[in-house]
Amino acid sequence: MFMPGLPRYLCVLSTVLVCFTVKLAAQSNSDKNITITSQQESFHFETGNKETPVVIRQSSATTYKCNLFRTTVPVVEFYDDKSTIEDVRAYVNGSRNKAIKPVFQNYAVDGIFYSDARICGLELPLEKKGTESVVELDKTTLDPRYFTTIYLPGSYDISRHEVQLIVPRWMKLEIKEMNFAGYNIQKTVEYNGKRDEDIYTYTASDLAGRASEKMAPGPSYVYPHLLILCKYADLKSGRINYFNTTADLYAWYRSLVLQIGNDETILKAKATEITKGLNSDTAKINAIFYWVQDNIRYIAFEDGIAGFKPQKAQQVLQYKYGDCKGMANLTSGLLKSLGYDARLCWIGTDHIAYDYSTPSLSVDNHMICALNYKGKRYFLDATETYIGLDQYAQRIQGRQVLIEDGDKFILDKVPTRNPDQNSSFEKRNLRIDGTALTGKVQQQWDGESREFLLSQVHGTRKEKLQDALVQYLADGNPGYKITAVKTSDLATWDKQLDIQYELQHQESVTGFGDDLYTELDFRKELAGLVIDTSKRTQDMLFRYKHHIVSETSLELPTGYKAGSLPEDLKIERLGYSFNISYKLSNGKINYHKELTIRNPWLAKASFTQWNEDIRALENAYRQQITLTKK
């Protein structure tokens, strides 16, 4: 299964023909109605013409089998301005069905078309149990730079998948075999002396369909695939250099940057407008960064396979939307127009297993901006809408970054941050009022915790913002009545988000005889996160590191004393910790909870221990405190 550039997303299409992709979108391998009995693909490097001196001819034949009941298979193939699809043929029950014609159309994101990304789609019928249908495809990749990865598993179980690479000796490439351990994959290499070419054949048997699991690592970490590094071609007309080294990769990126054509006059005028009345450099830098975050809508144009050239900054300003490249270019351009040392950067998020030691378009899937200021380097990712300067999303922390430096380049790494960056703090001072807990609450969020909350509430219309915020704070519980809400500025995210309110938690206290019973934890974070080890096939990734602190102080009612307090909980693991404690002091019961996820990557080997710890946490949450009349 050929996926040029390892697509930067798992997409779900909604068109008249297809509701999901077969080629690119991971689907559950629990659907056993459809299997692929045979998939044969060949990729032949050939000489082309002056404009496209080297091309890769792809031919494939995929046989789908119906195992249970009649259905159709949506078949989709992506292409772009660096590839063409010459022919698609459908065979049903052994005969070609010319009435089944593929539809070619632009790929759209929220109704906005991206000219580089196009789809070819058809629906292939499987008429009854036991029948087979075949799709044959002829496709040409017009530039070896875009020929990067071939994945062996697909959306359905595959009995046999054969991939053949036919490489003339004038074409220099490296084939890296990734994640082959544990799979039945055979390799042969033959030399065709008549044509002076090597033939690499990989045959994989009994491949399970790629699983669709939430919070999972990117496919390049998990599934067996071939990473194709096209280095150079020695043709009669001379050598054509592709990506022999990282310097070659950067030089190609740099050539695209030089073609952008930013309008410096427009950028300077806009930057001056944004920073009007501001005197300090820090204030101006923050204003530029936050303006792009807040005013430019992110549209994932980089998901188009050929989308490596940033859009003109003035176009992003005009349209008020852009992809990561366009937003990085705009951020950099605005800062440079004010005299700051801002540079474009290429980076692969943690969705990708490679770094720049592998010169390939599959190495990165993102662009950001680097700012060198007073001896320190800051990385600005304007696609992270509500994150502050010098705060970094987990997806780019610790990742290698390629920074423009004229004709040269700089390799650096985005700093890592500890869980405190994403702190979430709640303090409740409560008393018992009949069957309710009442009192005052203060909550604070920072980093990605703040970003998550603001993303939720700002997703509603402005006139309903307060209602959305209250609903979020109440966690959907109608008995959690919140009033007198005071917030810090919801449009500013360079400081902690602070919210204070008055609370009446109805029907949260019960009585029996001389005793009162209540719980002091309302949110119970991580409860229910027991992993089904009989179904889960992959490691689990949290979106970011977490640091959750909750403190509740309950005033003892007059005439009551505290019964025995619940036992404390203390769990310390390498990647996480759970701590809960109760203390009685000065007529109050003080409840303290601290949950920390230090390593967001939870390996399968840790699932059993994790499940035991989550069950212990859930048990701690269920413990009630007892108040008894004196």
Side-chain angles (χ1 to χ4, degrees):
M1 183 165 293
F2 172 48
M3 299 199 295
L6 184 56
R8 305 175 175 211
Y9 59 118
L10 295 176
C11 64
V12 178
L13 300 178
S14 179
T15 70
V16 295
L17 283 180
V18 292
C19 61
F20 59 94
T21 73
V22 172
K23 286 283 185 180
L24 298 180
Q27 301 170 25
S28 172
N29 59 11
S30 62
D31 179 9
K32 300 302 181 184
N33 185 38
I34 302 170
T35 53
I36 295 175
T37 58
S38 173
Q39 186 170 23
Q40 294 176 296
E41 298 181 284
S42 69
F43 303 91
H44 193 175
F45 286 78
E46 299 179 1
T47 55
N49 54 38
K50 185 177 180 180
E51 292 184 357
T52 58
V54 178
V55 299
I56 300 99
R57 307 289 185 190
Q58 173 187 354
S59 62
S60 66
T62 305
T63 302
Y64 299 88
K65 182 178 181 180
C66 179
N67 298 313
L68 300 172
F69 50 84
R70 178 177 181 173
T71 187
T72 58
V73 181
V75 179
V76 172
E77 182 72 25
F78 275 75
Y79 66 108
D80 52 76
D81 61 353
K82 297 299 181 182
S83 60
T84 60
I85 295 177
E86 287 76 35
D87 195 15
V88 181
R89 301 172 295 279
Y91 298 83
V92 179
N93 298 330
S95 299
R96 183 172 181 183
N97 189 330
K98 294 185 178 181
I100 301 174
K101 296 183 181 298
V103 171
F104 297 82
Q105 62 188 46
N106 288 331
Y107 173 54
V109 179
D110 292 340
I112 300 171
F113 289 99
Y114 182 47
S115 59
D116 278 342
R118 303 180 182 95
I119 58 172
C120 167
L122 60 83
E123 290 206 11
L124 184 69
L126 290 171
E127 294 186 340
K128 61 181 179 180
K129 180 179 179 179
T131 60
E132 293 184 338
S133 295
V134 179
V135 170
E136 295 179 347
L137 172 76
D138 296 328
K139 180 178 179 179
T140 301
T141 300
L142 303 174
D143 187 335
R145 294 179 182 89
Y146 295 85
F147 184 69
T148 60
T149 47
I150 303 172
Y151 273 75
L152 297 176
S155 301
Y156 303 106
D157 292 354
I158 302 176
S159 299
R160 185 178 184 275
H161 186 183
E162 180 183 283
V163 173
Q164 192 173 79
L165 291 160
I166 305 170
V167 187
R169 288 283 173 97
W170 50 258
M171 182 70 207
K172 304 302 178 184
L173 58 78
E174 180 183 357
I175 303 172
K176 289 192 172 185
E177 300 164 359
M178 311 297 291
N179 306 325
F180 273 31
Y183 290 88
N184 183 9
I185 303 172
Q186 306 298 321
K187 173 187 175 182
T188 62
V189 182
E190 301 175 49
Y191 174 64
N192 183 334
K194 184 176 181 180
R195 297 178 59 91
D196 193 28
E197 57 191 16
D198 295 305
I199 303 172
Y200 302 86
T201 303
Y202 292 87
T203 305
S205 302
D206 301 323
L207 292 167
R210 287 169 55 169
S212 178
E213 295 181 325
K214 295 180 179 179
M215 302 170 65
S220 58
Y221 291 97
V222 179
Y223 296 109
H225 63 280
L226 302 174
L227 182 60
I228 313 297
L229 305 181
C230 294
K231 296 179 176 294
Y232 58 88
D234 281 327
L235 303 177
K236 292 180 179 179
S237 57
R239 173 170 291 192
I240 298 177
N241 215 33
Y242 295 114
F243 298 144
N244 194 31
T245 65
T246 303
D248 295 332
L249 178 64
Y250 172 73
W252 187 75
Y253 283 158
R254 174 72 172 163
S255 70
L256 299 180
V257 169
L258 294 175
Q259 300 171 26
I260 296 173
N262 289 339
D263 190 317
E264 304 297 335
T265 302
I266 293 176
L267 290 174
K268 180 63 179 290
K270 189 63 182 182
T272 302
E273 174 191 327
I274 293 170
T275 59
K276 184 179 180 180
L278 302 177
N279 297 317
S280 73
D281 287 335
T282 303
K284 291 179 181 180
I285 291 167
N286 278 324
I288 294 291
F289 183 39
Y290 299 149
W291 188 91
V292 178
Q293 287 178 304
D294 198 33
N295 290 275
I296 304 301
R297 182 186 177 199
Y298 173 68
I299 299 291
F301 285 175
E302 76 272 18
D303 293 344
I305 295 169
F308 295 96
K309 180 181 176 181
Q311 192 177 20
K312 290 180 174 65
Q314 60 269 22
Q315 290 180 340
V316 178
L317 278 175
Q318 178 185 356
Y319 301 148
K320 291 293 188 291
Y321 64 76
D323 66 357
C324 68
K325 301 182 302 298
M327 296 177 78
N329 182 41
L330 176 59
T331 305
S332 173
L334 290 170
L335 289 169
K336 285 195 292 187
S337 75
L338 297 179
Y340 298 110
D341 182 4
R343 309 185 183 196
L344 292 175
C345 305
W346 294 262
I347 187 172
T349 67
D350 61 3
H351 186 74
I352 293 177
Y354 327 119
D355 63 19
Y356 285 101
S357 63
T358 303
S360 166
L361 294 183
S362 62
V363 170
D364 50 51
N365 61 348
H366 196 35
M367 281 189 76
I368 59 177
C369 170
L371 173 69
N372 298 318
Y373 178 67
K374 290 188 175 180
K376 182 175 179 179
R377 180 171 288 145
Y378 299 85
F379 294 99
L380 285 65
D381 183 357
T383 67
E384 296 287 345
T385 306
Y386 302 108
I387 203 163
L389 187 69
D390 206 28
Q391 292 185 330
Y392 302 116
Q394 180 63 41
R395 64 180 183 144
I396 66 171
Q397 286 184 36
R399 300 296 295 181
Q400 196 177 49
V401 59
L402 183 72
I403 306 171
E404 66 173 339
D405 190 29
D407 291 335
K408 299 180 180 179
F409 63 90
I410 299 169
L411 283 178
D412 199 356
K413 284 190 176 182
V414 176
T416 57
R417 293 289 184 253
N418 62 38
D420 291 341
Q421 173 191 270
N422 308 320
S423 63
S424 171
F425 174 76
E426 181 173 20
K427 184 174 181 61
R428 306 193 306 167
N429 292 311
L430 305 178
R431 64 184 183 279
I432 293 177
D433 184 4
T435 60
L437 292 173
T438 63
K440 296 183 180 295
V441 182
Q442 179 184 28
Q443 290 188 249
Q444 295 176 327
W445 298 263
D446 205 354
E448 292 191 82
S449 294
R450 176 189 57 218
E451 181 185 25
F452 179 79
L453 186 153
L454 290 176
S455 296
Q456 300 299 305
V457 299
H458 279 292
T460 62
R461 292 181 354 211
K462 290 188 180 298
E463 61 268 25
K464 294 187 176 181
L465 184 61
Q466 188 80 355
D467 292 341
L469 181 60
V470 168
Q471 186 175 12
Y472 181 91
L473 297 173
D475 202 19
N477 187 334
Y480 206 79
K481 301 296 183 181
I482 292 173
T483 56
V485 178
K486 297 179 181 179
T487 74
S488 58
D489 187 358
L490 296 180
T492 301
W493 40 91
D494 57 347
K495 299 177 182 178
Q496 281 190 336
L497 172 61
D498 185 279
I499 300 180
Q500 301 177 38
Y501 53 89
E502 295 183 4
L503 169 68
Q504 184 183 60
H505 189 182
Q506 300 172 341
E507 306 301 325
S508 57
V509 180
T510 57
F512 186 78
D514 292 337
D515 295 331
L516 298 176
Y517 303 92
T518 191
E519 296 178 3
L520 294 186
D521 197 301
F522 169 65
R523 305 200 182 275
K524 299 178 173 59
E525 295 92 345
L526 301 182
L529 205 56
V530 172
I531 301 168
D532 188 343
T533 56
S534 67
K535 296 181 179 179
R536 182 82 185 189
T537 64
Q538 301 175 59
D539 296 349
M540 190 167 75
L541 290 181
F542 291 92
R543 182 179 175 183
Y544 53 84
K545 303 181 184 81
H546 291 262
H547 184 224
I548 302 167
V549 177
S550 177
E551 297 178 352
T552 297
S553 175
L554 177 64
E555 181 181 324
L556 294 177
T558 302
Y560 281 82
K561 64 180 180 179
S564 59
L565 298 178
E567 293 184 1
D568 293 347
L569 176 71
K570 187 174 181 64
I571 294 173
E572 293 287 342
R573 306 296 176 205
L574 188 62
Y576 60 90
S577 60
F578 307 151
N579 290 285
I580 289 176
S581 64
Y582 295 83
K583 291 184 180 179
L584 181 62
S585 176
N586 299 322
K588 295 181 180 180
I589 297 176
N590 298 307
Y591 171 79
H592 179 86
K593 173 181 65 181
E594 186 169 6
L595 309 178
T596 306
I597 305 293
R598 289 183 290 273
N599 184 357
W601 191 304
L602 185 66
K604 284 180 63 178
S606 301
F607 283 179
T608 299
Q609 184 63 66
W610 168 267
N611 285 345
E612 291 178 4
D613 295 338
I614 288 296
R615 291 188 179 99
L617 179 64
E618 291 173 338
N619 182 63
Y621 283 152
R622 286 191 291 268
Q623 303 307 307
Q624 292 188 320
I625 63 170
T626 304
L627 305 178
T628 304
K629 279 188 177 181
K630 295 180 181 178

